[in-house]
Amino acid sequence: MQVPPETQVVIDFDDNRAASALVGPYGQHLAQIERRLGVVVDSKGNHITIGGTRDGCDAARRVLEMLYAQAVKGQDLDQGEVEGAIRAVIAQGSLFEFDAKSAKSATFDSINLRKRPVRARTAAQDSYIRALKRHELVFGIGPAGTGKTWLAVAHAAQLFERKEVDKIILSRPAVEAGERLGFLPGDLREKVDPYLRPIYDALYDLMDARIVERALQTGEIEIAPLAFMRGRTLTNAAIILDEAQNTTSMQMKMFLTRLGENSRMIVTGDPSQIDLPNGQTSGLAEATRLLGGVEGIAQVHFKAEDVIRHELVARIVAAYEGSPQRPAAGKS
């Protein structure tokens, strides 16, 4: 088999600040591109040299141009953005004409918020965002770090900012690794807040803190345990149920039937992290089985390769998925 010839590509960037952001702290962004695309990237000021195979150099050049276009607009570049650009270029394949300014938006969909845009970084995230925009009930299913909850909160925030809904309701079942609320100190809110902290974090990351605080005080954003949903009809709202793998069958049915007029519902969960008592069926597993193919309902499944939290997280998830495991609690 003939070995592809080595190629060298040289790029000069005009904007000093954007070029510095492109390199990343201690060259982390360039190192990430090197690992993922099998190239060697050298930076001297605004002058970047790429060495490797022809395809590798072309992909790295497109990634750098895409990231540079974002940096010029003042957008922050982190490891997730770099990984998203790499995956977008890989998804595009070889293009004869490449426009760095529009390539990402043309490939993956996005959610535009006042604070900042939220872009899909993988094909699964792209499918998820498109499903959120087109369906009234969406299930996001897969391992930790794939952006299920974060994108769900982003979509709910967008609907709220555009006044397409009057409120955001965020919920989780208060079941975590066998712990019980009664043993925690404090009043009810202090007991349940630790379980809902990831949702708070997503809200403050995606929306202005003052708006979040005011909306929490007025009830326009409501964060509550799943048990508080019983008996309610939720209208004109964006409703998110996180960690849904820890719902029972009856809890899931109760939650899904809360959907009222002009509301959107998003259910997220990881079937591999069920903390229900042994022998109890996960409401998420049952719902996805029963509701598959029902009109108006979408299901998006994420895999280990969709993990964007950190490169090591993807490897850890893949290692666990590939090893023999005892049956998870609650599976039947």
Side-chain angles (χ1 to χ4, degrees):
M1 186 173 69
Q2 188 176 3
V3 179
E6 289 292 317
T7 302
Q8 189 175 78
V9 174
V10 178
I11 314 174
D12 288 301
F13 295 107
D14 298 329
D15 189 310
N16 293 333
R17 183 198 58 79
S20 177
L22 191 64
V23 173
Y26 306 103
Q28 288 179 0
H29 297 343
L30 298 187
Q32 187 174 350
I33 293 170
E34 287 181 327
R35 289 194 304 271
R36 293 284 280 109
L37 298 177
V39 296
V40 176
V41 185
D42 182 52
S43 170
K44 292 182 180 179
N46 294 10
H47 185 82
I48 293 181
T49 304
I50 310 166
T53 64
R54 179 178 177 180
D55 288 344
C57 288
D58 182 59
R61 174 185 60 80
R62 289 189 277 151
V63 168
L64 289 168
E65 289 177 351
M66 186 181 295
L67 292 171
Y68 178 75
Q70 291 178 239
V72 167
K73 294 177 182 177
Q75 297 171 10
D76 293 333
L77 299 182
D78 56 21
Q79 286 186 312
E81 287 295 333
V82 176
E83 180 63 22
I86 292 169
R87 295 189 190 196
V89 165
I90 291 173
Q92 286 174 317
S94 296
L95 300 178
F96 293 104
E97 297 294 336
F98 178 72
D99 182 356
K101 294 181 180 179
S102 61
K104 192 162 190 177
S105 61
T107 306
F108 290 151
D109 210 337
S110 63
I111 298 171
N112 295 313
L113 299 172
R114 291 174 186 168
K115 189 172 182 179
R116 61 190 178 93
V118 175
R119 297 179 182 82
R121 296 174 178 173
T122 68
Q125 284 194 352
D126 181 60
S127 298
Y128 189 45
I129 290 177
R130 294 177 190 275
L132 292 172
K133 292 179 178 180
R134 297 172 184 173
H135 295 82
E136 294 179 344
L137 172 58
V138 177
F139 288 87
I141 306 152
T146 51
K148 305 182 303 294
T149 302
W150 196 65
L151 289 175
V153 174
H155 179 64
Q158 183 186 55
L159 293 175
F160 182 71
E161 288 181 351
R162 293 180 175 180
K163 302 189 183 302
E164 294 182 33
V165 297
D166 295 332
K167 65 187 306 182
I168 299 173
I169 300 174
L170 308 163
S171 183
R172 266 188 167 197
V175 178
E176 295 289 340
E179 298 173 3
R180 295 295 179 265
L181 289 174
F183 292 97
L184 295 174
D187 58 22
L188 180 61
R189 176 164 182 173
E190 290 171 330
K191 287 176 185 289
V192 301
D193 267 3
Y195 297 96
L196 302 171
R197 179 49 53 186
I199 297 178
Y200 279 107
D201 292 343
L203 274 175
Y204 284 105
D205 190 32
L206 295 164
M207 299 176 68
D208 183 88
R210 291 171 297 178
I211 294 175
V212 174
E213 290 291 345
R214 184 169 64 248
L216 285 168
Q217 291 174 4
T218 61
E220 292 174 300
I221 296 179
E222 179 182 348
I223 304 178
L226 178 59
F228 285 25
M229 299 296 106
R230 190 174 300 277
R232 302 177 63 182
T233 300
L234 307 173
T235 60
N236 298 310
I239 313 149
I240 298 173
L241 175 61
D242 191 32
E243 298 291 343
Q245 75 276 2
N246 288 326
T247 61
T248 64
S249 297
M250 290 303 296
Q251 285 177 327
M252 178 61 78
K253 181 180 178 182
M254 177 274 291
F255 178 79
L256 295 177
T257 54
R258 301 307 94 198
L259 185 64
E261 186 177 353
N262 191 40
S263 287
R264 301 290 185 91
M265 186 173 280
I266 310 165
V267 178
T268 68
D270 179 359
S272 70
Q273 297 190 32
I274 298 174
D275 296 313
L276 293 169
N278 286 327
Q280 196 161 36
T281 302
S282 166
L284 177 64
E286 182 180 65
T288 53
R289 177 177 58 83
L290 292 174
L291 300 177
V294 174
E295 185 179 356
I297 300 176
Q299 296 184 20
V300 179
H301 293 263
F302 296 86
K303 299 180 181 178
E305 55 263 32
D306 297 309
V307 172
I308 57 171
R309 192 170 286 169
H310 190 285
E311 287 181 277
L312 279 179
V313 176
R315 295 174 198 163
I316 290 168
V317 171
Y320 272 92
E321 288 185 346
S323 65
Q325 298 181 22
R326 62 184 180 181
K331 284 189 176 181
S332 61

